[in-house]
Amino acid sequence: MDKYAVWGNPIAQSKSPQIHQIFAQQTGQDLQYVAMLGDEVKFEQQLLDFFAQGAKGCNITSPFKQRAYQLAQVYSKRALTAGACNTLKMLDNGDLYADNTDGAGLVSDLQRLTWLKPNQSILILGAGGATQGVLLPLLQAKQNIIIANRTVSKAQQLAGKFRQYGNISAVQLDEISVQHFALIINATSLGLKGQTVPINPEILRLADAVYDMQYAKRSDTPFIAWAKSLGVQNISDGFGMLVGQAAHSFALWRGVMPDVTSLIEQGIL
Ligand code: ATR
């Protein structure tokens, strides 16, 4: 049976094994997919051992996306621009292929929500790895992007790097001018600490839609709860993005794209 895994630390909370099991059943594929706890020190050796034992591919999650990227020999363009990978595939010639399906997962989910109209203005909060992973697909979807970050130099660096792909600029988190955005995406890690993002609430109130790349089981993330309390009509956490990135990884490995909508909307997980 072909073997796959998700590597991260912590990893016990991961829903990826259940998601890929559902995809495998749905598409009639015979495969095994498990959660693997990466070691902060020995991660590279663990991953090489995993593939030496015949594994076909894996997902990579926090904090190993950059370290896994370094182990590959071949890269997709979206992995190269992200500088990180969430997906590895063993090629027939023994080379490791690195891909990044996070941005495709986000774009698919925004399309499912019908929030992705071309040439609209979107605000992305945060300029870390999560933001860098999604910028190329969002610019390719013709979104005009403003990145706001506490450390404005990181937002400026990203804007400079991605300007060749579309309309993108940077601003300091507490200097965003009050204006209308079609979509505001939270890509900071503040939700993990139970916190919202310190921006002027008026900016959220004016937004057509608010998306949090994080998700919380059976509850609202702090950012989603805040947007709700301000009366934002269209809100979503990142569960659909998680399922979407998984589906794009599955398609890369197995050559068949699973149906994500039923999984997201049935609320099975
Ligand atoms: P990830 O890979 O999840 O993106 P990261 O690279 O550590 O994680 O990025 C975390 C993001 O959350 C950054 O944009 C960070 O802002 P800084 O670049 O200024 O550090 C943002 N963030 C984390 N804590 C924050 C806080 N207390 N206030 C504002 N932004 C914060």
Side-chain angles (χ1 to χ4, degrees):
M1 205 191 285
D2 289 346
K3 191 172 173 188
Y4 300 86
V6 56
W7 287 87
N9 187 344
I11 201 61
Q13 81 297 346
S14 175
K15 289 188 191 298
S16 292
Q18 289 163 276
I19 293 171
H20 282 278
Q21 212 53 57
I22 291 169
F23 289 166
Q25 279 163 10
Q26 192 196 88
T27 58
Q29 304 269 314
D30 203 17
L31 59 86
Q32 185 196 15
Y33 187 111
V34 293
M36 300 289 280
L37 181 65
D39 184 279
E40 294 283 349
V41 179
K42 291 183 263 175
F43 171 69
E44 282 76 8
Q45 195 54 52
Q46 287 179 311
L47 202 67
L48 293 174
D49 290 347
F50 172 71
F51 281 109
Q53 287 157 15
K56 299 286 182 194
C58 65
N59 287 125
I60 313 286
T61 188
S62 179
F64 299 120
K65 287 182 182 181
Q66 277 93 3
R67 285 169 68 177
Y69 174 87
Q70 301 293 336
L71 294 177
Q73 288 80 42
V74 192
Y75 296 87
S76 69
K77 181 170 183 183
R78 55 197 187 184
L80 274 177
T81 52
C85 69
N86 74 333
T87 309
L88 286 169
K89 177 184 180 176
M90 177 55 74
L91 300 179
D92 290 342
N93 68 359
D95 282 349
L96 267 184
Y97 176 74
D99 196 1
N100 192 321
T101 65
D102 286 332
L106 174 62
V107 166
S108 302
D109 202 36
L110 294 176
Q111 280 164 342
R112 177 185 69 84
L113 293 160
T114 68
W115 293 356
L116 210 61
K117 317 227 166 51
N119 297 313
Q120 62 185 8
S121 290
I122 69 173
L123 174 67
I124 302 183
L125 305 172
T131 297
Q132 187 165 349
V134 301
L135 287 177
L136 180 66
L138 285 174
L139 288 167
Q140 286 172 333
K142 300 272 177 285
Q143 303 299 291
N144 301 316
I145 298 176
I146 296 179
I147 309 174
N149 200 43
R150 174 180 61 177
T151 313
V152 72
S153 60
K154 281 168 70 181
Q156 286 163 341
Q157 263 172 21
L158 280 186
K161 179 175 172 187
F162 283 87
R163 198 154 286 142
Q164 59 182 309
Y165 302 111
N167 189 353
I168 182 166
S169 58
V171 66
Q172 163 79 43
L173 198 60
D174 55 17
E175 288 175 4
I176 311 165
S177 59
V178 174
Q179 61 186 287
H180 165 258
F181 289 100
L183 174 63
I184 298 177
I185 298 173
N186 177 25
T188 71
S189 53
L190 279 159
L192 298 173
K193 299 181 217 159
Q195 295 171 13
T196 64
V197 192
I199 61 168
N200 184 336
E202 209 47 43
I203 300 167
L204 272 192
R205 219 190 303 269
L206 289 172
D208 292 339
V210 165
Y211 193 94
D212 193 343
M213 280 169 61
Q214 291 177 345
Y215 72 91
K217 204 175 173 181
R218 277 182 266 285
S219 66
D220 290 330
T221 65
F223 192 66
I224 291 295
W226 190 36
K228 255 189 196 174
S229 74
L230 292 169
V232 181
Q233 293 294 318
N234 300 306
I235 47 173
S236 176
D237 72 9
F239 182 66
M241 174 179 174
L242 175 78
V243 176
Q245 62 79 32
H248 287 276
S249 297
F250 190 93
L252 174 76
W253 296 325
R254 310 302 298 184
V256 49
M257 186 71 184
D259 169 41
V260 295
T261 309
S262 54
L263 207 167
I264 297 167
E265 289 177 0
Q266 281 167 19
I268 322 168
L269 293 177

